[in-house]
Amino acid sequence: MKKRMRMLKTSGIGIICMAAALTIAGCGGKVKPYTPPTPTVGGGVTPPSDNGSLKPTVLQFTVEPSVIERGQSATLRWSVNNATTISIDNGIGDVQSSGTRRITPAETTTYRLSASGPQGVVNGTTTVTVTNPAPVTTPTPTNKSTLDQEVNTLLQDAYFDYDSNQIRSDARDALAKDADSLKKIFADFPTASVIVEGHCDERGSAEYNLGLADQRASATKEYLVSLGVPAAKLKTVSYGKERPQCTEATEACYQKNRRAHFTAAQ
Amino acid sequence: MIKRIALLLLVLSGTASGQAITADIFKGGNTPNMAVIDFRSSSGGGYMSTFNSTLFADLQDSGLFKMVPKSFYPLQVPQRPEDFKPASGQGLAMADWAGSPVNANYLAYGYTAVQNGQLVLYGWLYDVAQQNAQAAQVIGSRYFGTPDDAGARKVAHEFANDIIAKFGGGTLAGSKIYFVSDRTGAKEIWVMDYDGSNQRQLTFYKSIAIQPSVSPDGTKLAFVSYDKGTPRIVMLDTVTGRPLQFYNQQASVNETPSFSPDGKELYYASTAAGKEAQIYASNLNGTNFRRIGVAKAIQVEPKVNPKNGSQIAFAQGPKNEQLFLMNTEGANVERLTNGEGEAASPSWHSDGQHMLFAWTRGYATGNWNVFLMDVTTREYDQLTSSAGRNENPNWAPDGRHLAFKSNRTGKWQIWTMLANGNQLNRLTNSGNNESPVWSK
């Protein structure tokens, strides 16, 4: 009943006639059967979505983006006409006639959409390409970084008095330990060498301090060599007062800067 | 003599800065006696005292003259050439100024007037030893300004500059200062005009570039760079900005380069001998090096005397760095400073007699000030005080101004001033700046 009514929508007279026919019939007396007017084709009539006279069509079946790295996701998007059953493979299953679905395939996958209706079946495919991600540069423990670690954690600074390059008793203790640590470091890293840096506090003149810090580095190296550390593996650099490790105008900071310090050679 | 000793005592007691030594450096040999009258205005105006004090100070500060005290002046003063009479006795004859008690060689005189709303200065400079006005006139000019203090200063400066120029006291215009700045995040060599304008970066090592030194003719710049790991000397062509070849000795430290007065050799400090830094000299490309200093001590900052070319000033320690002299053969070593505090940064005046340097004498370790010493008498003046730390002094080409670094404003900046402390100017204000060297 409803269908017919819809077809005759534009024909208001038809409806009235129908209604009139029904009511007149209810009142008794015969009525000629009314022939509904021929429906105009394409007259703005919206075809019903499940009109059996139209075959199912895949209006859209895409994936965005179409190329992803493994671990990334993409979005399937589809729109299908005139089908009663729509399904997508690869684990997606039955779906509505249009929609989207987020997917995270592990490798390149071709998705197949199947749409069936009374008038037939139609398929669609779309492919998402999955590439291997760029190799993550996890710093595999290279020899260099472990050398840095050993140098920075094992080797203590040696401290000096003002305007002096003499190895004090506390420096002797530190350097004795450093000598052992250096032997271990050079055993672990046979091709490595270590830099002995000389530094000064900020109070003397810069030019003189370059010379004094050089003496501190040399004296430190000499002392280590006297304890059995191979001289060829120790290089010296003087930084004068150019690279302070603190800048407060206090005796504590001054002492921190009057030092020999160790770094791994590049 | 008594005045000199009295001043010396004041200096030693640390209470007076003393003018005696500083005044000495301005005697190039010929400092004529200059008399300057108090100019008056024919149109009134309260700015004449500004005019007169500006004129007198400019002439005095130039260091080119011995200013005759005004208390010696005659009662009457000329204001125009027609005021002069052949014989006056009262001040209107040239002989009144040339003779006792004034004993002037030159007289600056004139007057001002307001004409058409402008301040006009009529200024003359006379050589009062001459017989007549025509022969005596060195300068006779008009100068213009606004009829107020600013205009009075302007015309006074211009008149003074004309007088100074007549006596060879050039301006600093055109001269350049090379220096070190860390404003880019690393110490690099920079250059700027004498007044701080046009500051531009010369090196781009992004390492440590320090200790610039410029050749006497200004064409070469030597400095120290860590770009290859340890401090080495680099030689730069200042015209092209490109490095020139310099052979560094195999050493852990090569530093403090400076040029000989004839510009043919480079002096520097090196640890090439295996132990402490010692003084060396070489060709400008580093070849033909020879060791000069032989001491069990750290020697740095060799500076050759520009007057005799055969004497070297340098810094040496321990104990407590001091300044020393020796000849270019390494002999005749003597200590210049008196053993107190720490002394560094020697800078010879072109007269080969006076020296700027940095010293901590009188203050706690690390508290440096700029001093000026007469090397022949060992007397000295303190040129900075109670204004942060002041180091790295170097003379300007005119031998009257100097550049130095000071942290009186917080960070280290380059300052310039006259040796008597006047005309104090700050040139930099970005990052930390040090080691200024002044080139013509």
Side-chain angles (χ1 to χ4, degrees), chain A residues 205-209 211, chain B residues 255-256 268-269 276-279 293 295 297-303 312-326 333-337 342-348 355 357-358 368:
Chain A
S205 79
E207 296 78 6
Y208 176 77
N209 277 341
Chain B
E255 63 157 336
T256 62
Y268 59 94
E276 309 85 356
Q278 302 283 284
I279 306 295
I298 299 168
Q299 298 181 332
V300 294
E301 302 197 270
K303 300 283 181 75
I312 307 172
F314 62 101
Q316 176 175 301
K319 273 290 191 187
N320 63 318
E321 187 185 12
Q322 295 289 297
L323 291 187
F324 288 76
L325 295 174
M326 64 181 169
V333 181
E334 54 170 318
R335 198 181 63 198
L336 194 54
T337 42
E342 289 171 349
S345 296
S347 177
W348 287 103
M355 178 181 294
F357 63 106
W368 298 86

Short mmCIF file of all heavy atoms in Angstrom, two decimals, chain A residues 205-209 211, chain B residues 255-256 268-269 276-279 293 295 297-303 312-326 333-337 342-348 355 357-358 368:
data_model
loop_
_atom_site.label_atom_id
_atom_site.label_comp_id
_atom_site.label_asym_id
_atom_site.label_seq_id
_atom_site.Cartn_x
_atom_site.Cartn_y
_atom_site.Cartn_z
N SER A 205 96.47 35.56 35.13
CA SER A 205 96.26 36.04 33.76
C SER A 205 96.05 34.85 32.83
O SER A 205 96.59 33.76 33.06
CB SER A 205 97.45 36.89 33.30
OG SER A 205 98.52 36.05 32.91
N ALA A 206 95.28 35.05 31.78
CA ALA A 206 94.90 33.95 30.89
C ALA A 206 96.13 33.33 30.21
O ALA A 206 96.21 32.11 30.06
CB ALA A 206 93.92 34.46 29.83
N GLU A 207 97.07 34.19 29.79
CA GLU A 207 98.24 33.71 29.04
C GLU A 207 99.15 32.87 29.93
O GLU A 207 99.64 31.81 29.52
CB GLU A 207 99.01 34.91 28.49
CG GLU A 207 98.25 35.74 27.46
CD GLU A 207 97.21 36.69 28.06
OE1 GLU A 207 97.16 36.79 29.31
OE2 GLU A 207 96.47 37.31 27.30
N TYR A 208 99.37 33.35 31.14
CA TYR A 208 100.20 32.60 32.09
C TYR A 208 99.51 31.30 32.46
O TYR A 208 100.15 30.25 32.57
CB TYR A 208 100.44 33.46 33.33
CG TYR A 208 101.21 32.78 34.43
CD1 TYR A 208 102.58 32.62 34.35
CD2 TYR A 208 100.55 32.29 35.56
CE1 TYR A 208 103.30 32.00 35.37
CE2 TYR A 208 101.26 31.66 36.57
CZ TYR A 208 102.63 31.52 36.48
OH TYR A 208 103.33 30.90 37.48
N ASN A 209 98.20 31.34 32.64
CA ASN A 209 97.46 30.15 33.03
C ASN A 209 97.50 29.06 31.96
O ASN A 209 97.45 27.88 32.26
CB ASN A 209 96.00 30.51 33.35
CG ASN A 209 95.85 31.01 34.77
OD1 ASN A 209 96.71 30.78 35.61
ND2 ASN A 209 94.75 31.69 35.05
N GLY A 211 100.09 28.36 30.31
CA GLY A 211 101.34 27.68 30.59
C GLY A 211 101.28 26.85 31.87
O GLY A 211 101.82 25.74 31.93
N GLU B 255 101.77 30.05 22.06
CA GLU B 255 100.84 31.13 22.38
C GLU B 255 101.51 32.49 22.41
O GLU B 255 102.71 32.61 22.16
CB GLU B 255 100.15 30.86 23.73
CG GLU B 255 101.08 30.82 24.94
CD GLU B 255 100.37 31.10 26.26
OE1 GLU B 255 99.30 31.75 26.27
OE2 GLU B 255 100.89 30.67 27.32
N THR B 256 100.73 33.50 22.78
CA THR B 256 101.11 34.91 22.91
C THR B 256 102.03 35.40 21.80
O THR B 256 103.15 35.85 22.06
CB THR B 256 101.76 35.20 24.28
OG1 THR B 256 102.97 34.44 24.45
CG2 THR B 256 100.79 34.86 25.39
N TYR B 268 107.03 34.64 20.34
CA TYR B 268 105.94 33.89 20.95
C TYR B 268 106.46 33.01 22.07
O TYR B 268 107.67 32.96 22.31
CB TYR B 268 105.21 33.04 19.90
CG TYR B 268 106.06 32.03 19.17
CD1 TYR B 268 106.14 30.70 19.61
CD2 TYR B 268 106.76 32.37 18.02
CE1 TYR B 268 106.90 29.77 18.94
CE2 TYR B 268 107.54 31.44 17.35
CZ TYR B 268 107.60 30.14 17.81
OH TYR B 268 108.37 29.22 17.14
N ALA B 269 105.55 32.35 22.77
CA ALA B 269 105.91 31.44 23.84
C ALA B 269 105.54 30.03 23.40
O ALA B 269 104.49 29.82 22.79
CB ALA B 269 105.15 31.81 25.12
N GLU B 276 108.64 23.96 30.51
CA GLU B 276 107.79 25.15 30.63
C GLU B 276 107.77 25.94 29.33
O GLU B 276 108.69 25.83 28.51
CB GLU B 276 108.32 26.08 31.73
CG GLU B 276 108.59 25.41 33.04
CD GLU B 276 109.97 24.76 33.14
OE1 GLU B 276 110.70 24.75 32.14
OE2 GLU B 276 110.29 24.27 34.23
N ALA B 277 106.77 26.79 29.18
CA ALA B 277 106.71 27.71 28.05
C ALA B 277 107.91 28.65 28.11
O ALA B 277 108.22 29.19 29.17
CB ALA B 277 105.42 28.51 28.09
N GLN B 278 108.58 28.85 26.96
CA GLN B 278 109.75 29.72 26.86
C GLN B 278 109.57 30.66 25.69
O GLN B 278 108.81 30.39 24.77
CB GLN B 278 111.02 28.88 26.65
CG GLN B 278 111.26 27.85 27.76
CD GLN B 278 111.82 28.48 29.02
OE1 GLN B 278 112.99 28.82 29.09
NE2 GLN B 278 110.98 28.65 30.03
N ILE B 279 110.34 31.78 25.70
CA ILE B 279 110.21 32.77 24.63
C ILE B 279 111.02 32.31 23.41
O ILE B 279 112.17 31.90 23.53
CB ILE B 279 110.72 34.15 25.08
CG1 ILE B 279 110.03 34.59 26.36
CG2 ILE B 279 110.51 35.18 23.97
CD1 ILE B 279 108.56 34.83 26.26
N GLY B 293 114.41 32.64 25.52
CA GLY B 293 114.33 32.55 26.97
C GLY B 293 114.83 31.20 27.47
O GLY B 293 114.51 30.16 26.89
N ALA B 295 114.82 29.60 31.09
CA ALA B 295 114.55 29.72 32.53
C ALA B 295 113.70 28.55 32.96
O ALA B 295 112.89 28.04 32.18
CB ALA B 295 113.82 31.03 32.83
N ALA B 297 111.05 28.32 34.36
CA ALA B 297 109.88 29.12 34.74
C ALA B 297 108.99 29.24 33.52
O ALA B 297 109.44 29.00 32.39
CB ALA B 297 110.29 30.50 35.23
N ILE B 298 107.74 29.63 33.73
CA ILE B 298 106.79 29.83 32.65
C ILE B 298 107.00 31.24 32.11
O ILE B 298 106.88 32.21 32.85
CB ILE B 298 105.34 29.68 33.15
CG1 ILE B 298 105.11 28.27 33.69
CG2 ILE B 298 104.35 29.99 32.03
CD1 ILE B 298 103.80 28.14 34.47
N GLN B 299 107.37 31.36 30.83
CA GLN B 299 107.54 32.67 30.22
C GLN B 299 106.47 32.86 29.14
O GLN B 299 106.29 31.98 28.29
CB GLN B 299 108.91 32.77 29.53
CG GLN B 299 110.09 32.64 30.45
CD GLN B 299 111.40 32.76 29.70
OE1 GLN B 299 111.48 32.44 28.51
NE2 GLN B 299 112.43 33.24 30.38
N VAL B 300 105.80 34.00 29.18
CA VAL B 300 104.76 34.28 28.17
C VAL B 300 104.78 35.77 27.82
O VAL B 300 105.45 36.55 28.48
CB VAL B 300 103.35 33.90 28.70
CG1 VAL B 300 103.22 32.39 28.89
CG2 VAL B 300 103.02 34.62 29.97
N GLU B 301 104.03 36.14 26.80
CA GLU B 301 103.79 37.53 26.40
C GLU B 301 105.06 38.32 26.07
O GLU B 301 105.27 39.39 26.64
CB GLU B 301 103.01 38.27 27.51
CG GLU B 301 101.68 37.63 27.84
CD GLU B 301 100.77 38.57 28.60
OE1 GLU B 301 100.83 38.57 29.85
OE2 GLU B 301 100.01 39.30 27.95
N PRO B 302 105.91 37.83 25.17
CA PRO B 302 107.08 38.65 24.80
C PRO B 302 106.64 39.87 23.98
O PRO B 302 105.83 39.76 23.07
CB PRO B 302 107.90 37.69 23.92
CG PRO B 302 106.89 36.76 23.34
CD PRO B 302 105.81 36.59 24.38
N LYS B 303 107.20 41.05 24.33
CA LYS B 303 106.89 42.28 23.59
C LYS B 303 108.20 43.03 23.37
O LYS B 303 108.88 43.39 24.34
CB LYS B 303 105.93 43.18 24.39
CG LYS B 303 104.59 42.54 24.74
CD LYS B 303 103.65 42.51 23.55
CE LYS B 303 102.31 41.89 23.90
NZ LYS B 303 101.48 42.82 24.69
N ILE B 312 113.30 42.99 25.20
CA ILE B 312 112.00 42.30 25.26
C ILE B 312 111.44 42.43 26.67
O ILE B 312 112.16 42.18 27.66
CB ILE B 312 112.15 40.79 24.96
CG1 ILE B 312 112.86 40.57 23.64
CG2 ILE B 312 110.79 40.11 24.94
CD1 ILE B 312 113.18 39.10 23.40
N ALA B 313 110.18 42.82 26.77
CA ALA B 313 109.46 42.72 28.04
C ALA B 313 108.64 41.44 27.98
O ALA B 313 108.17 41.05 26.93
CB ALA B 313 108.55 43.93 28.23
N PHE B 314 108.51 40.77 29.11
CA PHE B 314 107.71 39.54 29.12
C PHE B 314 107.24 39.26 30.53
O PHE B 314 107.67 39.92 31.49
CB PHE B 314 108.51 38.35 28.55
CG PHE B 314 109.74 37.98 29.34
CD1 PHE B 314 109.73 36.89 30.22
CD2 PHE B 314 110.92 38.69 29.20
CE1 PHE B 314 110.86 36.55 30.94
CE2 PHE B 314 112.05 38.36 29.92
CZ PHE B 314 112.03 37.28 30.79
N ALA B 315 106.32 38.30 30.65
CA ALA B 315 105.79 37.92 31.96
C ALA B 315 106.34 36.55 32.31
O ALA B 315 106.51 35.68 31.44
CB ALA B 315 104.27 37.89 31.92
N GLN B 316 106.64 36.35 33.58
CA GLN B 316 107.23 35.07 34.01
C GLN B 316 106.78 34.73 35.42
O GLN B 316 106.62 35.60 36.27
CB GLN B 316 108.77 35.17 33.94
CG GLN B 316 109.48 33.92 34.45
CD GLN B 316 110.97 34.00 34.25
OE1 GLN B 316 111.45 34.14 33.14
NE2 GLN B 316 111.72 33.90 35.34
N GLY B 317 106.61 33.44 35.67
CA GLY B 317 106.29 32.95 37.00
C GLY B 317 106.52 31.47 37.00
O GLY B 317 106.87 30.91 35.96
N PRO B 318 106.26 30.78 38.04
CA PRO B 318 106.04 31.22 39.41
C PRO B 318 107.34 31.66 40.08
O PRO B 318 108.37 31.53 39.45
CB PRO B 318 105.47 29.97 40.04
CG PRO B 318 106.03 28.84 39.25
CD PRO B 318 106.31 29.35 37.88
N LYS B 319 107.31 32.12 41.25
CA LYS B 319 106.13 32.35 42.04
C LYS B 319 105.50 33.67 41.61
O LYS B 319 106.21 34.57 41.21
CB LYS B 319 106.44 32.43 43.55
CG LYS B 319 106.43 31.10 44.21
CD LYS B 319 105.04 30.49 44.31
CE LYS B 319 105.11 29.27 45.23
NZ LYS B 319 103.85 28.54 45.22
N ASN B 320 104.26 33.85 41.74
CA ASN B 320 103.49 35.04 41.35
C ASN B 320 104.11 35.77 40.14
O ASN B 320 105.13 36.44 40.22
CB ASN B 320 103.29 35.99 42.53
CG ASN B 320 104.57 36.57 43.12
OD1 ASN B 320 105.56 35.87 43.28
ND2 ASN B 320 104.54 37.86 43.39
N GLU B 321 103.40 35.60 39.04
CA GLU B 321 103.79 36.17 37.76
C GLU B 321 104.21 37.64 37.90
O GLU B 321 103.51 38.44 38.54
CB GLU B 321 102.57 36.07 36.83
CG GLU B 321 102.84 36.47 35.40
CD GLU B 321 101.57 36.47 34.56
OE1 GLU B 321 100.46 36.37 35.13
OE2 GLU B 321 101.69 36.58 33.33
N GLN B 322 105.35 37.98 37.31
CA GLN B 322 105.87 39.35 37.32
C GLN B 322 106.34 39.71 35.92
O GLN B 322 106.45 38.85 35.05
CB GLN B 322 107.06 39.48 38.29
CG GLN B 322 106.70 39.25 39.76
CD GLN B 322 105.88 40.39 40.34
OE1 GLN B 322 106.35 41.52 40.40
NE2 GLN B 322 104.67 40.09 40.78
N LEU B 323 106.63 41.00 35.71
CA LEU B 323 107.16 41.45 34.43
C LEU B 323 108.68 41.51 34.48
O LEU B 323 109.26 41.94 35.49
CB LEU B 323 106.60 42.82 34.06
CG LEU B 323 105.11 42.87 33.71
CD1 LEU B 323 104.75 44.27 33.22
CD2 LEU B 323 104.75 41.84 32.67
N PHE B 324 109.31 41.12 33.38
CA PHE B 324 110.76 41.09 33.27
C PHE B 324 111.20 41.75 31.97
O PHE B 324 110.41 41.95 31.05
CB PHE B 324 111.27 39.64 33.27
CG PHE B 324 111.18 38.96 34.61
CD1 PHE B 324 109.95 38.51 35.08
CD2 PHE B 324 112.31 38.77 35.39
CE1 PHE B 324 109.86 37.87 36.31
CE2 PHE B 324 112.22 38.13 36.62
CZ PHE B 324 111.00 37.68 37.08
N LEU B 325 112.50 42.07 31.91
CA LEU B 325 113.14 42.55 30.69
C LEU B 325 114.29 41.63 30.37
O LEU B 325 114.91 41.05 31.26
CB LEU B 325 113.68 43.97 30.87
CG LEU B 325 112.70 45.10 31.12
CD1 LEU B 325 113.44 46.39 31.41
CD2 LEU B 325 111.77 45.28 29.93
N MET B 326 114.57 41.46 29.09
CA MET B 326 115.82 40.82 28.67
C MET B 326 116.09 41.30 27.25
O MET B 326 115.22 41.90 26.62
CB MET B 326 115.72 39.30 28.70
CG MET B 326 114.73 38.66 27.74
SD MET B 326 114.71 36.87 27.92
CE MET B 326 113.27 36.44 26.95
N VAL B 333 118.77 39.65 31.87
CA VAL B 333 117.43 39.49 32.43
C VAL B 333 117.32 40.27 33.72
O VAL B 333 118.18 40.18 34.59
CB VAL B 333 117.14 38.00 32.73
CG1 VAL B 333 115.72 37.84 33.29
CG2 VAL B 333 117.31 37.15 31.48
N GLU B 334 116.27 41.09 33.84
CA GLU B 334 116.01 41.77 35.10
C GLU B 334 114.51 41.87 35.31
O GLU B 334 113.74 41.93 34.37
CB GLU B 334 116.65 43.17 35.10
CG GLU B 334 116.22 44.01 33.93
CD GLU B 334 116.64 45.46 34.07
OE1 GLU B 334 116.52 46.00 35.19
OE2 GLU B 334 117.06 46.04 33.07
N ARG B 335 114.14 41.90 36.60
CA ARG B 335 112.72 42.00 36.91
C ARG B 335 112.32 43.46 36.89
O ARG B 335 113.04 44.33 37.41
CB ARG B 335 112.42 41.38 38.27
CG ARG B 335 110.95 41.06 38.48
CD ARG B 335 110.68 40.47 39.85
NE ARG B 335 111.02 41.43 40.89
CZ ARG B 335 111.23 41.11 42.16
NH1 ARG B 335 111.15 39.85 42.54
NH2 ARG B 335 111.52 42.03 43.04
N LEU B 336 111.16 43.71 36.29
CA LEU B 336 110.67 45.09 36.13
C LEU B 336 109.74 45.50 37.27
O LEU B 336 109.81 46.61 37.78
CB LEU B 336 109.93 45.16 34.79
CG LEU B 336 109.58 46.49 34.19
CD1 LEU B 336 110.81 47.35 34.06
CD2 LEU B 336 108.95 46.26 32.81
N THR B 337 108.82 44.61 37.63
CA THR B 337 107.88 44.91 38.70
C THR B 337 108.51 44.48 40.03
O THR B 337 109.47 43.73 40.05
CB THR B 337 106.54 44.18 38.47
OG1 THR B 337 106.80 42.86 38.01
CG2 THR B 337 105.72 44.91 37.42
N GLU B 342 100.54 40.07 41.18
CA GLU B 342 100.82 39.44 39.90
C GLU B 342 100.75 40.50 38.82
O GLU B 342 99.87 41.35 38.84
CB GLU B 342 99.80 38.32 39.62
CG GLU B 342 100.01 37.12 40.52
CD GLU B 342 98.90 36.09 40.42
OE1 GLU B 342 97.86 36.39 39.82
OE2 GLU B 342 99.08 34.97 40.95
N ALA B 343 101.70 40.46 37.89
CA ALA B 343 101.76 41.45 36.80
C ALA B 343 101.74 40.72 35.47
O ALA B 343 102.34 39.66 35.33
CB ALA B 343 103.02 42.30 36.93
N ALA B 344 101.06 41.31 34.48
CA ALA B 344 100.92 40.67 33.17
C ALA B 344 100.65 41.74 32.12
O ALA B 344 100.57 42.94 32.42
CB ALA B 344 99.77 39.65 33.20
N SER B 345 100.50 41.31 30.85
CA SER B 345 100.06 42.17 29.74
C SER B 345 100.94 43.39 29.50
O SER B 345 100.43 44.51 29.47
CB SER B 345 98.63 42.69 29.99
OG SER B 345 97.71 41.66 30.02
N PRO B 346 102.23 43.26 29.31
CA PRO B 346 103.04 44.46 29.05
C PRO B 346 102.71 45.04 27.67
O PRO B 346 102.51 44.30 26.72
CB PRO B 346 104.48 43.93 29.08
CG PRO B 346 104.37 42.49 28.70
CD PRO B 346 103.04 42.02 29.24
N SER B 347 102.65 46.38 27.59
CA SER B 347 102.41 47.05 26.30
C SER B 347 103.30 48.28 26.22
O SER B 347 103.10 49.26 26.95
CB SER B 347 100.92 47.44 26.19
OG SER B 347 100.68 48.15 25.00
N TRP B 348 104.30 48.25 25.33
CA TRP B 348 105.24 49.35 25.20
C TRP B 348 104.61 50.56 24.54
O TRP B 348 103.91 50.44 23.53
CB TRP B 348 106.42 48.93 24.30
CG TRP B 348 107.40 47.98 24.87
CD1 TRP B 348 107.50 46.66 24.60
CD2 TRP B 348 108.47 48.29 25.76
NE1 TRP B 348 108.55 46.10 25.29
CE2 TRP B 348 109.18 47.08 26.00
CE3 TRP B 348 108.91 49.46 26.40
CZ2 TRP B 348 110.28 47.01 26.84
CZ3 TRP B 348 110.02 49.39 27.23
CH2 TRP B 348 110.70 48.17 27.44
N MET B 355 105.33 51.95 29.75
CA MET B 355 104.69 50.67 29.52
C MET B 355 103.38 50.57 30.28
O MET B 355 103.32 50.85 31.48
CB MET B 355 105.63 49.55 29.98
CG MET B 355 105.06 48.16 29.82
SD MET B 355 106.20 46.91 30.39
CE MET B 355 107.49 47.14 29.18
N PHE B 357 100.52 48.01 31.73
CA PHE B 357 100.44 46.60 32.11
C PHE B 357 99.31 46.41 33.11
O PHE B 357 98.71 47.38 33.58
CB PHE B 357 101.77 46.08 32.66
CG PHE B 357 102.23 46.74 33.93
CD1 PHE B 357 102.16 46.06 35.14
CD2 PHE B 357 102.77 48.02 33.92
CE1 PHE B 357 102.59 46.66 36.31
CE2 PHE B 357 103.21 48.62 35.09
CZ PHE B 357 103.12 47.94 36.30
N ALA B 358 98.99 45.17 33.39
CA ALA B 358 97.97 44.84 34.37
C ALA B 358 98.65 44.31 35.62
O ALA B 358 99.63 43.57 35.54
CB ALA B 358 97.00 43.80 33.80
N TRP B 368 92.69 42.80 39.16
CA TRP B 368 93.65 43.47 38.30
C TRP B 368 93.26 44.92 38.04
O TRP B 368 92.07 45.24 37.93
CB TRP B 368 93.74 42.75 36.96
CG TRP B 368 94.21 41.33 37.04
CD1 TRP B 368 93.45 40.23 37.28
CD2 TRP B 368 95.54 40.86 36.87
NE1 TRP B 368 94.22 39.10 37.27
CE2 TRP B 368 95.50 39.45 37.01
CE3 TRP B 368 96.77 41.48 36.60
CZ2 TRP B 368 96.65 38.67 36.90
CZ3 TRP B 368 97.90 40.69 36.49
CH2 TRP B 368 97.84 39.30 36.64
#
